[in-house]
Amino acid sequence: MIIETSGLRKSFRSRAGRETKTVEAVRGVDLSVAEGEIFGFLGPNGAGKTTTLRMLATLLEPDGGSAVIAGADLRKEPGEVRRRIGYVAQGGSTWDESTGREELVLHARMYGISKADAQRRAAEALDTFELAEYADRRCKTYSGGQRRRVDIALGIIHSPKVVFLDEPTTGLDPQSRAHMWGEVRKLREMGMTVFLTTHYLDEADALCDRLAIMDHGQIVAEGTPADLKQEVLGDVVSVNAREVAKAADLFDNAEYVRKVETTEQSLRLYVEDGASAIPHVLRTLDAEGVAIEGIELHRPSLDDVFLAKTGRSLRES
Amino acid sequence: MKFLRDTWLVFQRQMLLLLRNPVWVAVGIIQPMFYLLLFAPLMKQALSQGGTMTDEQAYRIFVPGMLVMVALFSAFSGFGIIAELRAGVIERNRVTPVSRVALLLGRSLRDVVQLLFQAVLVTLLAVPFGLRVAVGDALLAYLLIGLMTLLLSSTGYALGLTLRSEDAMAPMLNTVIQPIMLLAGIFLPLTFAPTWLKNVAKANPFKWATDGVRALFAGNPGDDAVWQALAILTPLTVLALVISSRTFARSVR
Ligand SMILES: Nc1ncnc2c1ncn2[C@@H]1O[C@H](COP(=O)(O)OP(=O)(O)OP(=O)(O)O)[C@@H](O)[C@H]1O
Ligand SMILES: [Mg+2]
């Protein structure tokens, strides 16, 4: 495992008027991330994603717990951790008056890389992220997407083993987001482990090999997107029929059906795998002469997972 | 050595950005000109009450005061660091293994270079008005001014990183710098002050610095005020550098 954390905790004291309130931002996070995967942190605003990432990136001292990142102990050898990771902050990190190329060269040199090598790496990164055209323009003239790509190029300029991307696509239009997913996959191809945060369901689903869902400073679920969805409910086959009650009885003892629910016009069957269940369902109904008006397959989304684990919908929170 | 290399790296970057935006050169010339043209004649009259004073004498008192004033303003460096903090640049630096002392020193040295440039300019501008000063004395005076800048700019950075907001920084600097300026005898030497005020001023390190710079501009490098100024500024500067580089190492958000 390239990242292993155990019991990471962090609380903040903040003052609201006269009272000091303690916010428990991260409340015991245990994680393991395998080398070469894209690992995602999905959670609503304030879940503690950024706080966890900042602790792992040595920017914030944890109140408790431990972590080993790329073989270096976070507490004992933060300098070594810094050398092995890259970090891209949620809010970006480019300076308006510098050019993209200058930022990249300087940042590489801060890792002890020689000038010539830094320049070569910068040129390479500018190519990889399709920034060559704007390389020598000041950052303040960049579009949101261009700036974000510079941020990410900065995070990987020293070829780290692990790169932390805090909300790499927030604020980008759908096209730039799709583009960014491509870039993130490229990082994995280059052999890096990517640890990103997001609050987009589709992004977590499409981009991440594995993910952890975080809420109120704790991890409420962890696994591949497919497993997480399976684990919660499986697929739902809903059947519109007139004789709902009669139809429902037919599935009480069917072993491929986990649970049966009925509404006035429809029957909802929770099954392991919807695609293979549909033929059985149709055959059963047909054999008993139940006339159906429609059949629909609903695959659970990560939002359903979040709902099941927290009782709230991620879309609403 | 890593620390020297890192300092050079940070310094280079800061210089590049400074030179890219040369407005400050114009400001650096125009502001002292205001004082030389509009304030110095007034001060000469005020100082020579009851006697006569040559232009040279007047500028020898006035120019050192002005140099110390510009040096005091380097505490405003703190505003720049808040902007960098907000842009995420500080955090980006802190996530690398770069030396934390270098993060501070590279920036402060840029401030020193900028200020010395301004100091030389002010001195040269005062020459046509009648100022005369030996090169050696001037260089020693610049050393004092440079130390002051290092002290104040690093303090400014520490304040900026701690307060993290311009709104907190501005009143803070104003309330601290104003009495320091008044109690340093920058414009009017404290020889005119009542005894109690003189005693209060003794607690102000910049009063000693001003006296030292004045002694040098008066052509008395052997004056006690010179070594006293050095002896007071040096440890303070080292202390400020240590404290400030710690704030660069500490988590900031
Ligand atoms: N420096 C701080 N001082 C006080 N409270 C903080 C600080 N940093 C974070 N918090 C609080 O900790 C909690 C977790 O914040 P965090 O930034 O980790 O959330 P997040 O999951 O990254 O959210 P988002 O999706 O909005 O970025 C929030 O309640 C936040 O207000
Ligand atoms: Mg965040």
Short mmCIF file of all heavy atoms in Angstrom, two decimals, chain A residues 217-268:
data_model
loop_
_atom_site.label_atom_id
_atom_site.label_comp_id
_atom_site.label_asym_id
_atom_site.label_seq_id
_atom_site.Cartn_x
_atom_site.Cartn_y
_atom_site.Cartn_z
N GLY A 217 -16.33 14.22 8.67
CA GLY A 217 -15.01 13.86 9.17
C GLY A 217 -14.75 12.37 9.28
O GLY A 217 -13.73 11.96 9.82
N GLN A 218 -15.69 11.56 8.79
CA GLN A 218 -15.47 10.12 8.86
C GLN A 218 -15.73 9.46 7.53
O GLN A 218 -16.51 9.96 6.73
CB GLN A 218 -16.40 9.51 9.91
CG GLN A 218 -15.84 9.67 11.30
CD GLN A 218 -16.81 9.21 12.35
OE1 GLN A 218 -18.02 9.40 12.22
NE2 GLN A 218 -16.29 8.62 13.41
N ILE A 219 -15.08 8.32 7.35
CA ILE A 219 -15.32 7.57 6.12
C ILE A 219 -16.51 6.65 6.36
O ILE A 219 -16.51 5.86 7.30
CB ILE A 219 -14.07 6.79 5.73
CG1 ILE A 219 -13.02 7.80 5.29
CG2 ILE A 219 -14.38 5.80 4.61
CD1 ILE A 219 -11.73 7.21 4.90
N VAL A 220 -17.53 6.81 5.52
CA VAL A 220 -18.73 6.01 5.73
C VAL A 220 -18.78 4.81 4.81
O VAL A 220 -19.54 3.88 5.04
CB VAL A 220 -20.02 6.86 5.59
CG1 VAL A 220 -20.08 7.90 6.71
CG2 VAL A 220 -20.08 7.55 4.24
N ALA A 221 -18.01 4.80 3.75
CA ALA A 221 -17.97 3.65 2.85
C ALA A 221 -16.70 3.71 2.03
O ALA A 221 -16.18 4.78 1.77
CB ALA A 221 -19.18 3.66 1.92
N GLU A 222 -16.20 2.55 1.64
CA GLU A 222 -14.99 2.51 0.85
C GLU A 222 -15.03 1.31 -0.08
O GLU A 222 -15.49 0.24 0.31
CB GLU A 222 -13.77 2.39 1.79
CG GLU A 222 -12.46 2.55 1.09
CD GLU A 222 -11.26 2.33 2.02
OE1 GLU A 222 -11.44 2.44 3.25
OE2 GLU A 222 -10.18 2.05 1.51
N GLY A 223 -14.61 1.50 -1.31
CA GLY A 223 -14.58 0.38 -2.26
C GLY A 223 -14.54 0.88 -3.68
O GLY A 223 -14.44 2.08 -3.91
N THR A 224 -14.65 -0.04 -4.64
CA THR A 224 -14.74 0.41 -6.03
C THR A 224 -16.14 0.97 -6.21
O THR A 224 -17.07 0.57 -5.50
CB THR A 224 -14.54 -0.74 -7.02
OG1 THR A 224 -15.64 -1.64 -6.87
CG2 THR A 224 -13.24 -1.49 -6.76
N PRO A 225 -16.32 1.87 -7.17
CA PRO A 225 -17.66 2.42 -7.38
C PRO A 225 -18.69 1.33 -7.59
O PRO A 225 -19.78 1.37 -7.01
CB PRO A 225 -17.49 3.29 -8.63
CG PRO A 225 -16.05 3.68 -8.63
CD PRO A 225 -15.32 2.53 -8.03
N ALA A 226 -18.35 0.30 -8.37
CA ALA A 226 -19.30 -0.77 -8.65
C ALA A 226 -19.65 -1.53 -7.38
O ALA A 226 -20.82 -1.79 -7.09
CB ALA A 226 -18.73 -1.72 -9.70
N ASP A 227 -18.65 -1.88 -6.59
CA ASP A 227 -18.89 -2.62 -5.35
C ASP A 227 -19.77 -1.83 -4.40
O ASP A 227 -20.66 -2.38 -3.76
CB ASP A 227 -17.57 -2.91 -4.63
CG ASP A 227 -16.82 -4.05 -5.29
OD1 ASP A 227 -17.42 -4.69 -6.18
OD2 ASP A 227 -15.65 -4.28 -4.93
N LEU A 228 -19.47 -0.54 -4.28
CA LEU A 228 -20.23 0.28 -3.35
C LEU A 228 -21.70 0.26 -3.72
O LEU A 228 -22.57 0.14 -2.85
CB LEU A 228 -19.72 1.73 -3.37
CG LEU A 228 -18.42 1.97 -2.62
CD1 LEU A 228 -17.92 3.38 -2.88
CD2 LEU A 228 -18.64 1.76 -1.13
N LYS A 229 -21.95 0.38 -5.01
CA LYS A 229 -23.35 0.42 -5.44
C LYS A 229 -24.02 -0.93 -5.23
O LYS A 229 -25.16 -1.00 -4.79
CB LYS A 229 -23.41 0.85 -6.91
CG LYS A 229 -23.04 2.31 -7.07
CD LYS A 229 -23.12 2.79 -8.50
CE LYS A 229 -21.92 2.35 -9.30
NZ LYS A 229 -21.89 3.00 -10.62
N GLN A 230 -23.28 -1.99 -5.55
CA GLN A 230 -23.80 -3.34 -5.35
C GLN A 230 -24.17 -3.58 -3.90
O GLN A 230 -25.23 -4.09 -3.59
CB GLN A 230 -22.72 -4.36 -5.73
CG GLN A 230 -22.58 -4.56 -7.20
CD GLN A 230 -23.73 -5.37 -7.75
OE1 GLN A 230 -24.20 -6.29 -7.09
NE2 GLN A 230 -24.19 -5.02 -8.93
N GLU A 231 -23.23 -3.19 -3.05
CA GLU A 231 -23.33 -3.48 -1.65
C GLU A 231 -24.60 -2.88 -1.04
O GLU A 231 -25.24 -3.48 -0.19
CB GLU A 231 -22.09 -2.90 -0.97
CG GLU A 231 -21.94 -3.18 0.49
CD GLU A 231 -20.86 -2.28 1.05
OE1 GLU A 231 -19.77 -2.17 0.41
OE2 GLU A 231 -21.10 -1.67 2.09
N VAL A 232 -24.93 -1.71 -1.52
CA VAL A 232 -26.06 -1.03 -0.93
C VAL A 232 -27.37 -1.72 -1.27
O VAL A 232 -28.11 -2.14 -0.39
CB VAL A 232 -26.14 0.42 -1.39
CG1 VAL A 232 -27.31 1.10 -0.74
CG2 VAL A 232 -24.85 1.11 -1.03
N LEU A 233 -27.68 -1.82 -2.53
CA LEU A 233 -28.99 -2.33 -2.90
C LEU A 233 -28.96 -3.30 -4.06
O LEU A 233 -29.84 -4.13 -4.21
CB LEU A 233 -29.90 -1.20 -3.37
CG LEU A 233 -29.86 0.14 -2.67
CD1 LEU A 233 -30.18 1.22 -3.65
CD2 LEU A 233 -30.85 0.11 -1.54
N GLY A 234 -27.98 -3.20 -4.89
CA GLY A 234 -28.08 -3.91 -6.15
C GLY A 234 -28.95 -3.10 -7.08
O GLY A 234 -29.30 -1.96 -6.79
N ASP A 235 -29.31 -3.72 -8.21
CA ASP A 235 -30.12 -3.00 -9.19
C ASP A 235 -31.60 -3.09 -8.81
O ASP A 235 -32.01 -3.93 -8.02
CB ASP A 235 -29.93 -3.61 -10.58
CG ASP A 235 -28.50 -3.47 -11.06
OD1 ASP A 235 -27.74 -2.71 -10.41
OD2 ASP A 235 -28.13 -4.11 -12.05
N VAL A 236 -32.37 -2.20 -9.40
CA VAL A 236 -33.82 -2.25 -9.18
C VAL A 236 -34.52 -2.46 -10.51
O VAL A 236 -34.27 -1.73 -11.47
CB VAL A 236 -34.33 -0.93 -8.56
CG1 VAL A 236 -35.83 -1.02 -8.31
CG2 VAL A 236 -33.59 -0.62 -7.28
N VAL A 237 -35.36 -3.50 -10.55
CA VAL A 237 -36.20 -3.68 -11.74
C VAL A 237 -37.59 -3.23 -11.33
O VAL A 237 -38.16 -3.74 -10.37
CB VAL A 237 -36.24 -5.17 -12.15
CG1 VAL A 237 -37.20 -5.35 -13.32
CG2 VAL A 237 -34.84 -5.66 -12.50
N SER A 238 -38.08 -2.21 -12.01
CA SER A 238 -39.44 -1.82 -11.65
C SER A 238 -40.40 -2.14 -12.78
O SER A 238 -40.11 -1.92 -13.95
CB SER A 238 -39.49 -0.35 -11.23
OG SER A 238 -39.27 0.48 -12.32
N VAL A 239 -41.50 -2.73 -12.39
CA VAL A 239 -42.47 -3.24 -13.35
C VAL A 239 -43.78 -2.50 -13.17
O VAL A 239 -44.29 -2.40 -12.05
CB VAL A 239 -42.72 -4.76 -13.11
CG1 VAL A 239 -43.71 -5.29 -14.14
CG2 VAL A 239 -41.42 -5.53 -13.12
N ASN A 240 -44.29 -1.95 -14.23
CA ASN A 240 -45.62 -1.34 -14.17
C ASN A 240 -46.66 -2.37 -14.55
O ASN A 240 -46.59 -2.94 -15.64
CB ASN A 240 -45.72 -0.17 -15.16
CG ASN A 240 -44.92 1.03 -14.67
OD1 ASN A 240 -44.48 1.05 -13.52
ND2 ASN A 240 -44.74 2.00 -15.55
N ALA A 241 -47.56 -2.61 -13.65
CA ALA A 241 -48.60 -3.61 -13.93
C ALA A 241 -49.87 -3.20 -13.23
O ALA A 241 -49.84 -2.44 -12.26
CB ALA A 241 -48.14 -4.97 -13.44
N ARG A 242 -51.01 -3.72 -13.72
CA ARG A 242 -52.26 -3.36 -13.07
C ARG A 242 -52.44 -4.14 -11.77
O ARG A 242 -52.86 -3.61 -10.78
CB ARG A 242 -53.44 -3.61 -14.02
CG ARG A 242 -53.89 -2.28 -14.56
CD ARG A 242 -55.17 -2.38 -15.32
NE ARG A 242 -54.96 -1.71 -16.60
CZ ARG A 242 -55.36 -2.18 -17.75
NH1 ARG A 242 -55.99 -3.32 -17.81
NH2 ARG A 242 -55.13 -1.51 -18.84
N GLU A 243 -52.10 -5.41 -11.84
CA GLU A 243 -52.33 -6.23 -10.65
C GLU A 243 -51.04 -6.33 -9.83
O GLU A 243 -50.40 -7.36 -9.79
CB GLU A 243 -52.77 -7.63 -11.07
CG GLU A 243 -54.05 -7.61 -11.88
CD GLU A 243 -54.21 -8.88 -12.70
OE1 GLU A 243 -53.53 -8.99 -13.73
OE2 GLU A 243 -54.98 -9.75 -12.28
N VAL A 244 -50.70 -5.22 -9.23
CA VAL A 244 -49.42 -5.14 -8.53
C VAL A 244 -49.33 -6.16 -7.39
O VAL A 244 -48.33 -6.86 -7.25
CB VAL A 244 -49.20 -3.71 -7.98
CG1 VAL A 244 -47.95 -3.65 -7.12
CG2 VAL A 244 -49.09 -2.72 -9.12
N ALA A 245 -50.39 -6.25 -6.63
CA ALA A 245 -50.35 -7.12 -5.46
C ALA A 245 -50.15 -8.57 -5.86
O ALA A 245 -49.34 -9.30 -5.28
CB ALA A 245 -51.63 -6.97 -4.65
N LYS A 246 -50.87 -8.95 -6.88
CA LYS A 246 -50.77 -10.33 -7.35
C LYS A 246 -49.36 -10.60 -7.87
O LYS A 246 -48.74 -11.62 -7.57
CB LYS A 246 -51.80 -10.56 -8.47
CG LYS A 246 -51.78 -11.98 -9.00
CD LYS A 246 -52.79 -12.16 -10.13
CE LYS A 246 -52.55 -13.49 -10.85
NZ LYS A 246 -53.25 -13.53 -12.14
N ALA A 247 -48.85 -9.63 -8.63
CA ALA A 247 -47.51 -9.77 -9.18
C ALA A 247 -46.48 -9.87 -8.07
O ALA A 247 -45.55 -10.68 -8.16
CB ALA A 247 -47.19 -8.59 -10.10
N ALA A 248 -46.65 -9.08 -7.04
CA ALA A 248 -45.66 -9.07 -5.96
C ALA A 248 -45.54 -10.44 -5.30
O ALA A 248 -44.44 -10.89 -4.99
CB ALA A 248 -46.04 -8.02 -4.91
N ASP A 249 -46.68 -11.11 -5.14
CA ASP A 249 -46.66 -12.43 -4.51
C ASP A 249 -45.78 -13.41 -5.25
O ASP A 249 -45.17 -14.29 -4.66
CB ASP A 249 -48.10 -12.99 -4.45
CG ASP A 249 -48.95 -12.20 -3.45
OD1 ASP A 249 -48.33 -11.51 -2.59
OD2 ASP A 249 -50.18 -12.28 -3.54
N LEU A 250 -45.73 -13.25 -6.58
CA LEU A 250 -44.96 -14.19 -7.40
C LEU A 250 -43.47 -14.20 -7.05
O LEU A 250 -42.78 -15.16 -7.31
CB LEU A 250 -45.11 -13.85 -8.89
CG LEU A 250 -46.53 -13.88 -9.44
CD1 LEU A 250 -46.54 -13.45 -10.89
CD2 LEU A 250 -47.11 -15.28 -9.29
N PHE A 251 -42.99 -13.07 -6.51
CA PHE A 251 -41.53 -12.97 -6.29
C PHE A 251 -41.11 -13.16 -4.85
O PHE A 251 -39.94 -13.06 -4.53
CB PHE A 251 -41.04 -11.62 -6.82
CG PHE A 251 -41.25 -11.47 -8.29
CD1 PHE A 251 -42.33 -10.76 -8.81
CD2 PHE A 251 -40.37 -12.08 -9.18
CE1 PHE A 251 -42.53 -10.66 -10.17
CE2 PHE A 251 -40.56 -11.98 -10.55
CZ PHE A 251 -41.64 -11.26 -11.04
N ASP A 252 -42.12 -13.44 -3.99
CA ASP A 252 -41.78 -13.57 -2.58
C ASP A 252 -40.69 -14.60 -2.32
O ASP A 252 -39.84 -14.41 -1.48
CB ASP A 252 -43.04 -13.95 -1.77
CG ASP A 252 -43.80 -12.69 -1.36
OD1 ASP A 252 -43.21 -11.60 -1.53
OD2 ASP A 252 -44.94 -12.80 -0.89
N ASN A 253 -40.75 -15.67 -3.11
CA ASN A 253 -39.79 -16.73 -2.83
C ASN A 253 -38.70 -16.87 -3.90
O ASN A 253 -37.92 -17.81 -3.86
CB ASN A 253 -40.51 -18.06 -2.65
CG ASN A 253 -41.44 -18.01 -1.44
OD1 ASN A 253 -41.02 -17.53 -0.37
ND2 ASN A 253 -42.67 -18.46 -1.61
N ALA A 254 -38.67 -15.94 -4.84
CA ALA A 254 -37.63 -16.02 -5.88
C ALA A 254 -36.28 -15.72 -5.26
O ALA A 254 -36.11 -14.70 -4.59
CB ALA A 254 -37.95 -15.05 -7.00
N GLU A 255 -35.31 -16.59 -5.47
CA GLU A 255 -34.06 -16.38 -4.72
C GLU A 255 -33.17 -15.28 -5.29
O GLU A 255 -32.31 -14.78 -4.58
CB GLU A 255 -33.28 -17.69 -4.60
CG GLU A 255 -32.96 -18.36 -5.90
CD GLU A 255 -32.60 -19.83 -5.66
OE1 GLU A 255 -33.38 -20.55 -4.99
OE2 GLU A 255 -31.53 -20.22 -6.13
N TYR A 256 -33.42 -14.93 -6.55
CA TYR A 256 -32.58 -13.85 -7.10
C TYR A 256 -33.12 -12.46 -6.71
O TYR A 256 -32.52 -11.46 -7.02
CB TYR A 256 -32.44 -13.97 -8.62
CG TYR A 256 -33.76 -13.87 -9.38
CD1 TYR A 256 -34.21 -12.66 -9.86
CD2 TYR A 256 -34.53 -15.02 -9.60
CE1 TYR A 256 -35.42 -12.56 -10.54
CE2 TYR A 256 -35.73 -14.94 -10.27
CZ TYR A 256 -36.16 -13.70 -10.74
OH TYR A 256 -37.35 -13.63 -11.39
N VAL A 257 -34.26 -12.43 -6.05
CA VAL A 257 -34.82 -11.14 -5.63
C VAL A 257 -34.54 -10.93 -4.14
O VAL A 257 -34.87 -11.77 -3.31
CB VAL A 257 -36.33 -11.09 -5.89
CG1 VAL A 257 -36.92 -9.77 -5.39
CG2 VAL A 257 -36.61 -11.27 -7.37
N ARG A 258 -33.89 -9.81 -3.82
CA ARG A 258 -33.54 -9.56 -2.42
C ARG A 258 -34.71 -8.98 -1.64
O ARG A 258 -34.88 -9.23 -0.46
CB ARG A 258 -32.41 -8.54 -2.35
CG ARG A 258 -31.08 -9.10 -2.75
CD ARG A 258 -30.07 -8.01 -2.55
NE ARG A 258 -28.78 -8.39 -3.07
CZ ARG A 258 -27.81 -7.53 -3.28
NH1 ARG A 258 -27.99 -6.26 -3.05
NH2 ARG A 258 -26.67 -7.95 -3.75
N LYS A 259 -35.45 -8.15 -2.33
CA LYS A 259 -36.48 -7.42 -1.62
C LYS A 259 -37.54 -6.99 -2.61
O LYS A 259 -37.23 -6.71 -3.77
CB LYS A 259 -35.85 -6.18 -0.98
CG LYS A 259 -36.68 -5.55 0.10
CD LYS A 259 -35.86 -4.44 0.78
CE LYS A 259 -36.71 -3.21 0.99
NZ LYS A 259 -35.93 -2.02 1.21
N VAL A 260 -38.79 -6.99 -2.19
CA VAL A 260 -39.88 -6.58 -3.06
C VAL A 260 -40.59 -5.38 -2.44
O VAL A 260 -40.88 -5.39 -1.25
CB VAL A 260 -40.90 -7.73 -3.25
CG1 VAL A 260 -42.00 -7.32 -4.23
CG2 VAL A 260 -40.21 -9.00 -3.70
N GLU A 261 -40.82 -4.39 -3.24
CA GLU A 261 -41.55 -3.22 -2.75
C GLU A 261 -42.68 -2.97 -3.73
O GLU A 261 -42.52 -3.17 -4.93
CB GLU A 261 -40.64 -1.98 -2.78
CG GLU A 261 -40.02 -1.63 -1.44
CD GLU A 261 -39.09 -0.44 -1.58
OE1 GLU A 261 -39.22 0.34 -2.54
OE2 GLU A 261 -38.20 -0.32 -0.72
N THR A 262 -43.80 -2.46 -3.22
CA THR A 262 -44.87 -2.14 -4.16
C THR A 262 -45.33 -0.72 -3.95
O THR A 262 -45.30 -0.20 -2.84
CB THR A 262 -46.09 -3.07 -3.96
OG1 THR A 262 -46.47 -3.00 -2.57
CG2 THR A 262 -45.77 -4.48 -4.33
N THR A 263 -45.70 -0.09 -5.06
CA THR A 263 -46.41 1.18 -4.99
C THR A 263 -47.72 0.94 -5.70
O THR A 263 -48.01 -0.20 -6.09
CB THR A 263 -45.63 2.31 -5.70
OG1 THR A 263 -45.56 1.99 -7.08
CG2 THR A 263 -44.22 2.44 -5.13
N GLU A 264 -48.52 2.00 -5.92
CA GLU A 264 -49.84 1.77 -6.50
C GLU A 264 -49.78 1.11 -7.88
O GLU A 264 -50.52 0.19 -8.17
CB GLU A 264 -50.60 3.09 -6.60
CG GLU A 264 -51.77 3.12 -5.63
CD GLU A 264 -52.33 4.52 -5.51
OE1 GLU A 264 -52.76 5.05 -6.55
OE2 GLU A 264 -52.29 5.08 -4.39
N GLN A 265 -48.88 1.63 -8.71
CA GLN A 265 -48.86 1.09 -10.06
C GLN A 265 -47.65 0.23 -10.38
O GLN A 265 -47.57 -0.34 -11.44
CB GLN A 265 -48.87 2.24 -11.08
CG GLN A 265 -50.23 2.86 -11.27
CD GLN A 265 -50.15 4.33 -10.97
OE1 GLN A 265 -49.14 4.97 -11.26
NE2 GLN A 265 -51.19 4.87 -10.37
N SER A 266 -46.68 0.23 -9.45
CA SER A 266 -45.48 -0.50 -9.87
C SER A 266 -44.91 -1.36 -8.77
O SER A 266 -45.20 -1.21 -7.58
CB SER A 266 -44.42 0.48 -10.38
OG SER A 266 -43.83 1.12 -9.28
N LEU A 267 -44.13 -2.25 -9.24
CA LEU A 267 -43.51 -3.24 -8.39
C LEU A 267 -42.02 -3.00 -8.48
O LEU A 267 -41.49 -2.85 -9.58
CB LEU A 267 -43.90 -4.60 -8.98
CG LEU A 267 -43.26 -5.85 -8.46
CD1 LEU A 267 -43.79 -6.14 -7.07
CD2 LEU A 267 -43.64 -7.00 -9.41
N ARG A 268 -41.36 -2.90 -7.34
CA ARG A 268 -39.91 -2.68 -7.40
C ARG A 268 -39.20 -3.91 -6.86
O ARG A 268 -39.41 -4.31 -5.72
CB ARG A 268 -39.52 -1.46 -6.58
CG ARG A 268 -39.97 -0.16 -7.23
CD ARG A 268 -39.90 1.01 -6.26
NE ARG A 268 -38.53 1.32 -5.84
CZ ARG A 268 -37.68 2.04 -6.56
NH1 ARG A 268 -38.05 2.52 -7.73
NH2 ARG A 268 -36.47 2.29 -6.13
#
